[in-house]
Protein backbone atom coordinates (compact mmCIF):
# COMPACT_ATOMS: atom_id res chain seq x y z
CA UNK A 1 0.00 0.00 0.00
CA UNK A 2 1.30 3.45 -0.75
CA UNK A 3 2.49 5.75 1.99
CA UNK A 4 0.42 8.73 3.08
CA UNK A 5 1.72 12.25 3.39
CA UNK A 6 -0.49 14.67 5.28
CA UNK A 7 -0.05 18.44 5.03
CA UNK A 8 -1.31 20.14 8.19
CA UNK A 9 -1.38 23.83 7.39
CA UNK A 10 -2.48 24.71 10.94
CA UNK A 11 -3.53 28.41 11.12
CA UNK A 12 -2.11 29.30 7.70
CA UNK A 13 -2.24 30.97 5.21
CA UNK A 14 -3.92 34.36 5.71
CA UNK A 15 -6.08 34.55 2.57
CA UNK A 16 -8.14 32.33 0.28
CA UNK A 17 -5.96 33.42 -2.63
CA UNK A 18 -2.82 32.12 -0.92
CA UNK A 19 -4.64 28.94 0.13
CA UNK A 20 -5.59 28.21 -3.47
CA UNK A 21 -2.04 28.85 -4.67
CA UNK A 22 -0.63 26.58 -2.00
CA UNK A 23 -3.18 23.87 -2.86
CA UNK A 24 -2.45 24.08 -6.58
CA UNK A 25 1.23 23.65 -5.89
CA UNK A 26 0.59 20.62 -3.65
CA UNK A 27 -1.96 18.75 -5.73
CA UNK A 28 -0.49 15.24 -5.77
CA UNK A 29 -1.87 11.73 -5.28
CA UNK A 30 -1.04 10.20 -1.87
CA UNK A 31 -1.25 13.65 -0.29
CA UNK A 32 -3.95 14.70 2.16
CA UNK A 33 -4.22 18.49 2.46
CA UNK A 34 -5.64 19.85 5.72
CA UNK A 35 -6.32 23.58 5.44
CA UNK A 36 -8.17 25.69 8.02
CA UNK A 37 -11.98 25.22 7.88
CA UNK A 38 -12.34 28.63 6.25
CA UNK A 39 -10.48 27.47 3.14
CA UNK A 40 -11.83 23.93 2.78
CA UNK A 41 -14.13 24.75 -0.09
CA UNK A 42 -11.53 26.92 -1.87
CA UNK A 43 -9.03 24.08 -1.67
CA UNK A 44 -11.63 21.47 -2.68
CA UNK A 45 -12.24 23.52 -5.83
CA UNK A 46 -8.58 23.44 -6.79
CA UNK A 47 -7.27 19.95 -5.99
CA UNK A 48 -7.75 17.08 -8.41
CA UNK A 49 -5.40 14.39 -7.11
CA UNK A 50 -4.87 15.22 -3.45
CA UNK A 51 -7.48 14.36 -0.81
CA UNK A 52 -9.07 16.85 1.52
CA UNK A 53 -8.73 16.71 5.30
CA UNK A 54 -9.87 18.95 8.16
CA UNK A 55 -7.91 19.81 11.30
CA UNK A 56 -10.69 19.05 13.81
CA UNK A 57 -14.42 18.41 14.18
CA UNK A 58 -17.04 18.59 16.92
CA UNK A 59 -18.68 15.44 18.27
CA UNK A 60 -22.30 16.64 17.96
CA UNK A 61 -23.88 16.91 14.55
CA UNK A 62 -26.05 20.00 15.07
CA UNK A 63 -27.45 22.32 17.68
CA UNK A 64 -26.37 25.04 20.08
CA UNK A 65 -22.58 24.70 19.86
CA UNK A 66 -21.26 28.11 18.92
CA UNK A 67 -18.12 28.09 16.85
CA UNK A 68 -18.06 24.34 16.25
CA UNK A 69 -18.18 22.36 13.00
CA UNK A 70 -19.71 18.93 12.47
CA UNK A 71 -18.62 15.88 10.55
CA UNK A 72 -21.70 16.21 8.35
CA UNK A 73 -20.72 19.75 7.42
CA UNK A 74 -17.17 18.61 6.68
CA UNK A 75 -18.42 15.80 4.47
CA UNK A 76 -20.61 18.29 2.63
CA UNK A 77 -17.49 20.36 1.92
CA UNK A 78 -15.76 17.34 0.37
CA UNK A 79 -13.65 16.35 3.38
CA UNK A 80 -12.57 12.70 3.69
CA UNK A 81 -10.07 12.80 6.56
CA UNK A 82 -9.96 14.62 9.87
CA UNK A 83 -7.09 15.24 12.29
CA UNK A 84 -8.18 14.61 15.88
CA UNK A 85 -6.36 15.23 19.16
CA UNK A 86 -3.46 17.27 17.81
CA UNK A 87 -1.16 18.23 20.69
CA UNK A 88 -1.65 21.93 19.90
CA UNK A 89 -5.36 21.52 20.64
CA UNK A 90 -4.70 19.45 23.74
CA UNK A 91 -2.20 22.05 25.00
CA UNK A 92 -3.77 25.35 23.92
CA UNK A 93 -7.47 24.51 24.09
CA UNK A 94 -7.62 21.99 26.89
CA UNK A 95 -8.76 19.14 24.66
CA UNK A 96 -9.00 16.04 26.86
CA UNK A 97 -8.72 12.33 26.10
CA UNK A 98 -12.48 12.07 26.61
CA UNK A 99 -13.14 14.80 24.03
CA UNK A 100 -10.77 13.07 21.63
CA UNK A 101 -12.65 9.78 22.10
CA UNK A 102 -15.97 11.46 21.30
CA UNK A 103 -14.50 13.07 18.21
CA UNK A 104 -13.10 9.78 16.91
CA UNK A 105 -16.50 8.17 17.40
CA UNK A 106 -18.21 11.08 15.63
CA UNK A 107 -15.77 10.92 12.72
CA UNK A 108 -16.64 7.27 12.09
CA UNK A 109 -20.36 8.03 12.42
CA UNK A 110 -20.04 10.74 9.82
CA UNK A 111 -18.04 8.60 7.41
CA UNK A 112 -14.74 10.45 7.89
CA UNK A 113 -11.36 8.78 8.29
CA UNK A 114 -9.74 9.93 11.55
CA UNK A 115 -6.08 10.80 11.97
CA UNK A 116 -5.48 10.41 15.70
CA UNK A 117 -2.45 12.29 17.03
CA UNK A 118 -0.57 11.07 20.08
CA UNK A 119 2.77 11.94 21.61
CA UNK A 120 4.57 13.00 24.76
CA UNK A 121 5.91 16.39 25.85
CA UNK A 122 9.59 17.04 26.56
CA UNK A 123 8.92 16.88 30.27
CA UNK A 124 7.12 13.54 29.95
CA UNK A 125 9.97 12.20 27.87
CA UNK A 126 12.52 13.39 30.45
CA UNK A 127 10.57 11.45 33.09
CA UNK A 128 10.60 8.32 30.91
CA UNK A 129 6.84 8.52 30.47
CA UNK A 130 6.74 8.27 26.67
CA UNK A 131 5.08 4.88 26.39
CA UNK A 132 2.79 5.56 29.32
CA UNK A 133 1.48 8.76 27.71
CA UNK A 134 1.03 7.21 24.28
CA UNK A 135 -0.73 4.21 25.84
CA UNK A 136 -3.09 6.46 27.80
CA UNK A 137 -3.90 8.58 24.76
CA UNK A 138 -4.54 5.54 22.59
CA UNK A 139 -6.58 3.58 25.12
CA UNK A 140 -8.74 6.64 25.77
CA UNK A 141 -8.95 7.97 22.23
CA UNK A 142 -9.91 4.61 20.74
CA UNK A 143 -12.10 3.45 23.63
CA UNK A 144 -15.37 3.91 21.74
CA UNK A 145 -14.29 2.39 18.45
CA UNK A 146 -12.11 -0.63 19.29
CA UNK A 147 -14.65 -3.07 17.85
CA UNK A 148 -14.94 -1.21 14.54
CA UNK A 149 -13.43 -2.91 11.52
CA UNK A 150 -12.52 0.40 9.95
CA UNK A 151 -9.52 2.41 8.86
CA UNK A 152 -7.75 4.83 11.11
CA UNK A 153 -4.43 6.63 10.89
CA UNK A 154 -2.40 7.03 14.05
CA UNK A 155 0.19 9.80 13.97
CA UNK A 156 2.93 9.63 16.55
CA UNK A 157 4.00 13.23 16.99
CA UNK A 158 6.28 13.81 19.97
CA UNK A 159 5.41 17.32 21.14
CA UNK A 160 9.06 18.28 21.62
CA UNK A 161 9.74 17.50 17.95
CA UNK A 162 6.95 19.69 16.56
CA UNK A 163 8.18 22.90 14.96
CA UNK A 164 11.60 22.63 16.57
CA UNK A 165 13.67 21.40 13.64
CA UNK A 166 14.60 18.49 15.88
CA UNK A 167 12.81 15.31 14.73
CA UNK A 168 12.79 12.07 16.65
CA UNK A 169 15.04 9.33 15.29
CA UNK A 170 13.71 6.68 12.88
CA UNK A 171 14.97 4.06 15.37
CA UNK A 172 12.79 5.47 18.16
CA UNK A 173 9.87 5.68 15.74
CA UNK A 174 10.28 2.03 14.76
CA UNK A 175 10.18 1.10 18.44
CA UNK A 176 7.08 3.23 18.86
CA UNK A 177 5.40 1.50 15.92
CA UNK A 178 6.06 -1.87 17.57
CA UNK A 179 4.78 -0.57 20.89
CA UNK A 180 1.57 0.78 19.34
CA UNK A 181 0.88 -2.40 17.34
CA UNK A 182 1.43 -4.54 20.41
CA UNK A 183 -0.82 -2.29 22.51
CA UNK A 184 -3.62 -2.45 19.93
CA UNK A 185 -3.44 -6.24 20.02
CA UNK A 186 -3.50 -6.28 23.82
CA UNK A 187 -6.62 -4.12 23.94
CA UNK A 188 -8.40 -6.19 21.29
CA UNK A 189 -8.60 -3.54 18.58
CA UNK A 190 -10.33 -4.58 15.35
CA UNK A 191 -9.29 -1.36 13.60
CA UNK A 192 -7.15 -1.33 10.49
CA UNK A 193 -4.37 0.99 11.52
CA UNK A 194 -1.68 2.85 9.63
CA UNK A 195 1.00 4.44 11.77
CA UNK A 196 2.79 7.57 10.61
CA UNK A 197 5.38 9.97 12.06
CA UNK A 198 5.12 13.74 12.57
CA UNK A 199 7.46 16.35 14.02
CA UNK A 200 9.94 18.49 12.04
CA UNK A 201 9.70 16.41 8.88
CA UNK A 202 11.32 18.14 5.92
CA UNK A 203 12.45 16.97 2.49
CA UNK A 204 15.99 16.45 3.77
CA UNK A 205 15.02 14.07 6.60
CA UNK A 206 11.84 12.43 5.27
CA UNK A 207 13.67 9.57 3.57
CA UNK A 208 15.27 8.43 6.82
CA UNK A 209 11.76 7.72 8.13
CA UNK A 210 9.87 6.73 4.98
CA UNK A 211 12.40 4.15 3.82
CA UNK A 212 11.13 1.85 6.59
CA UNK A 213 8.05 -0.11 5.58
CA UNK A 214 6.74 0.04 9.17
CA UNK A 215 6.55 3.84 9.01
CA UNK A 216 3.57 4.29 6.73
CA UNK A 217 3.69 8.02 6.18
CA UNK A 218 4.37 11.48 7.52
CA UNK A 219 2.36 14.30 9.05
CA UNK A 220 3.98 17.53 7.97
CA UNK A 221 3.41 20.98 9.45
CA UNK A 222 5.82 23.81 8.67
CA UNK A 223 7.39 22.23 5.59
CA UNK A 224 3.96 21.90 3.95
CA UNK A 225 3.87 25.70 3.66
CA UNK A 226 7.25 26.05 1.97
CA UNK A 227 7.21 26.00 -1.78
CA UNK A 228 8.42 22.70 -3.23
CA UNK A 229 8.92 20.95 0.12
CA UNK A 230 5.74 18.90 0.24
CA UNK A 231 6.19 17.84 -3.40
CA UNK A 232 9.67 16.52 -2.57
CA UNK A 233 8.36 14.67 0.47
CA UNK A 234 5.57 13.05 -1.58
CA UNK A 235 8.14 12.02 -4.22
CA UNK A 236 10.24 10.37 -1.51
CA UNK A 237 7.14 8.60 -0.13
CA UNK A 238 6.36 7.26 -3.64
CA UNK A 239 9.74 5.56 -3.84
CA UNK A 240 8.84 3.37 -0.89
CA UNK A 241 5.33 2.21 -1.79
P1 LIG B 1 6.09 20.49 12.03
O1 LIG B 1 6.24 19.65 10.80
O2 LIG B 1 6.04 21.97 11.77
O3 LIG B 1 7.07 20.10 13.09
O4 LIG B 1 4.63 20.16 12.63
C1 LIG B 1 4.27 18.84 12.82
C2 LIG B 1 2.83 18.81 13.14
O5 LIG B 1 2.39 19.22 14.19
C3 LIG B 1 1.93 18.28 12.10
O6 LIG B 1 0.66 18.02 12.62
Amino acid sequence: MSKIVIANWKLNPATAKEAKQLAKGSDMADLIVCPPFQFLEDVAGVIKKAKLGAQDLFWEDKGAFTGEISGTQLRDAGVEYVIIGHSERRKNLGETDEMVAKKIFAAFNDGLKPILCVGESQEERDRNKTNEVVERELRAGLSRVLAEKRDIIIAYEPVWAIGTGNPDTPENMLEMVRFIKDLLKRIGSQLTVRIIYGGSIKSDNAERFLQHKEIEGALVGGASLTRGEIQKIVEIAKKYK
Side-chain angles (χ1 to χ4, degrees), residues 8 10 83 86 88 117 157 161-164 198-201 219-223:
N8 178 9
K10 307 189 181 184
I83 296 173
H86 194 284
E88 286 153 11
C117 300
E157 291 207 303
I162 295 177
T164 60
S200 292
I201 283 287
L219 179 48
V220 186

Side-chain angles (χ1 to χ4, degrees), residues 11-105:
L11 184 49
N12 301 287
T15 65
K17 189 171 169 216
E18 289 168 277
K20 282 190 262 190
Q21 273 166 357
L22 198 55
K24 262 187 210 152
S26 346
D27 188 20
M28 302 171 85
D30 304 326
L31 180 70
I32 302 167
V33 184
C34 303
F37 295 138
Q38 174 67 10
F39 302 139
L40 282 170
E41 296 204 325
D42 293 301
V43 171
V46 165
I47 54 177
K48 296 194 171 59
K49 298 183 204 142
K51 302 260 171 34
L52 192 61
Q55 297 176 18
D56 185 36
L57 90 173
F58 190 58
W59 56 81
E60 296 289 345
D61 230 26
K62 59 175 191 291
F65 302 104
T66 302
E68 295 299 338
I69 190 158
S70 73
T72 306
Q73 291 168 334
L74 293 175
R75 278 286 299 262
D76 187 55
V79 169
E80 283 181 59
Y81 292 84
V82 58
I83 296 173
I84 294 175
H86 194 284
S87 60
E88 286 153 11
R89 298 195 58 82
R90 296 181 193 254
K91 195 172 56 187
N92 300 324
L93 294 149
E95 195 155 296
T96 63
D97 286 333
E98 173 60 13
M99 289 158 81
V100 170
K102 287 189 194 173
K103 290 180 177 192
I104 298 277
F105 184 77

Side-chain angles (χ1 to χ4, degrees), residues 119-130:
E120 82 289 358
S121 66
Q122 181 70 61
E123 190 237 332
E124 287 160 340
R125 189 174 189 90
D126 292 344
R127 289 192 290 128
N128 282 325
K129 300 276 183 206
T130 299

